[in-house]
Amino acid sequence: MKIVIATSNAHKVQEFRAMLEPLGHSVVSAGEMGGMPPVDEDGSTFEENAAKKACQAALAFHCPVMADDSGLEVIALGGEPGVLSARYAGEGGNDGRNLAKLLGKLQGMEDRRARFVCAIALADAQGRLQGCVRGEVQGHMADAPRGKEGFGYDPAFVPQGYEQTFGELPPQVKNRLSHRARALEQAIRQFFPDAPRGAREGNRQEEA
Ligand code: ITT
């Protein structure tokens, strides 16, 4: 099956490809469809923003699309940076500045619990929302960034049950247990019930 992913984030596309291609699906990026239309991500939830991205991209591309809105929630900061994860350090910010700002706020704090959240929405070719699912991975924030894998806040996020950060763990491990993997597994089950089984099962089979 051909799945169009409405995102301008190349790292997300790479992860969707790594999770979906072993299952026999091909991933088409927004870039290959002519580029993401501008979307004002002003929703107060990941679900609202994922739905906006999916519906607006489907209208622009004239085909069904899936969109991902995701981010990090730090418990002791009341869920910050949340839906503002990509823009935490303000205009002109980037992954490095966002992470530096967050680790600065967490300096000396004992409670470092955090979770990554991913909402995946599906829109039909007429831009109508078909559904939205959510995946989460719990963990905690390291004191300082470690590792070069992944993107965004990965170098400082240690998933529950591990000692390494997503920046240190091999991508196959992140793609098995991440918020995106968990949302995608549900998305496939809910949106494409006749498709091959979800990403996590698929990756497990691949590794077996
Ligand atoms: P699109 O809106 O075009 O999809 P984006 O990067 O702006 O691209 P979001 O609005 O969903 O996407 O913001 C996601 C941000 O949350 C991302 O820039 C990272 O800072 C963080 N994030 C999300 N998933 C992550 C992951 O798997 N690893 C590390 N950081 C992640």
Side-chain angles (χ1 to χ4, degrees):
M1 188 163 50
K2 192 176 96 171
I3 300 178
V4 178
I5 308 287
T7 177
S8 50
N9 182 325
H11 298 283
K12 288 186 185 176
V13 175
Q14 199 180 8
E15 292 189 3
F16 277 112
R17 284 218 160 100
M19 293 187 280
L20 286 167
E21 287 182 351
L23 301 177
H25 304 302
S26 61
V27 168
V28 180
S29 69
E32 292 168 282
M33 300 296 290
M36 257 315 263
V39 179
D40 192 7
E41 294 182 38
D42 58 357
S44 58
T45 63
F46 295 106
E47 283 83 356
E48 272 177 70
N49 285 334
K52 275 189 97 171
K53 286 189 250 190
C55 295
Q56 292 183 29
L59 280 176
F61 303 155
H62 308 290
C63 67
V65 312
M66 278 193 341
D68 161 316
D69 197 69
S70 44
L72 181 73
E73 291 183 340
V74 177
I75 312 298
L77 298 180
E80 273 187 34
V83 289
L84 296 178
S85 290
R87 296 162 276 163
Y88 197 43
E91 285 301 313
N94 55 30
D95 282 356
R97 289 201 191 128
N98 290 337
L99 185 53
K101 175 174 176 182
L102 183 66
L103 290 179
K105 280 200 173 192
L106 284 175
Q107 215 164 13
M109 288 177 79
E110 262 184 34
D111 180 1
R112 306 190 71 86
R113 288 172 300 154
R115 63 176 157 253
F116 269 127
V117 179
C118 174
I120 293 181
L122 177 76
D124 70 10
Q126 283 72 44
R128 293 176 299 216
L129 184 66
Q130 301 299 293
C132 192
V133 295
R134 162 186 279 239
E136 297 183 358
V137 57
Q138 310 291 330
H140 72 267
M141 301 309 292
D143 292 331
R146 302 194 309 254
K148 300 242 175 296
E149 300 290 351
F151 67 100
Y153 300 90
D154 279 343
F157 182 82
V158 180
Q160 211 163 61
Y162 292 80
E163 288 180 2
Q164 292 152 295
T165 67
F166 269 159
E168 296 173 304
L169 287 165
Q172 302 91 292
V173 175
K174 179 183 177 191
N175 289 338
R176 202 169 61 232
L177 52 95
S178 78
H179 50 317
R180 188 159 295 108
R182 288 175 174 162
L184 184 59
E185 186 182 18
Q186 283 196 61
I188 290 179
R189 189 170 292 143
Q190 188 170 316
F191 304 152
F192 313 115
D194 300 328
R197 296 298 302 278
R200 290 163 80 199
E201 283 100 321
N203 286 344
R204 261 190 232 123
Q205 279 161 17
E206 227 207 357
E207 282 170 9

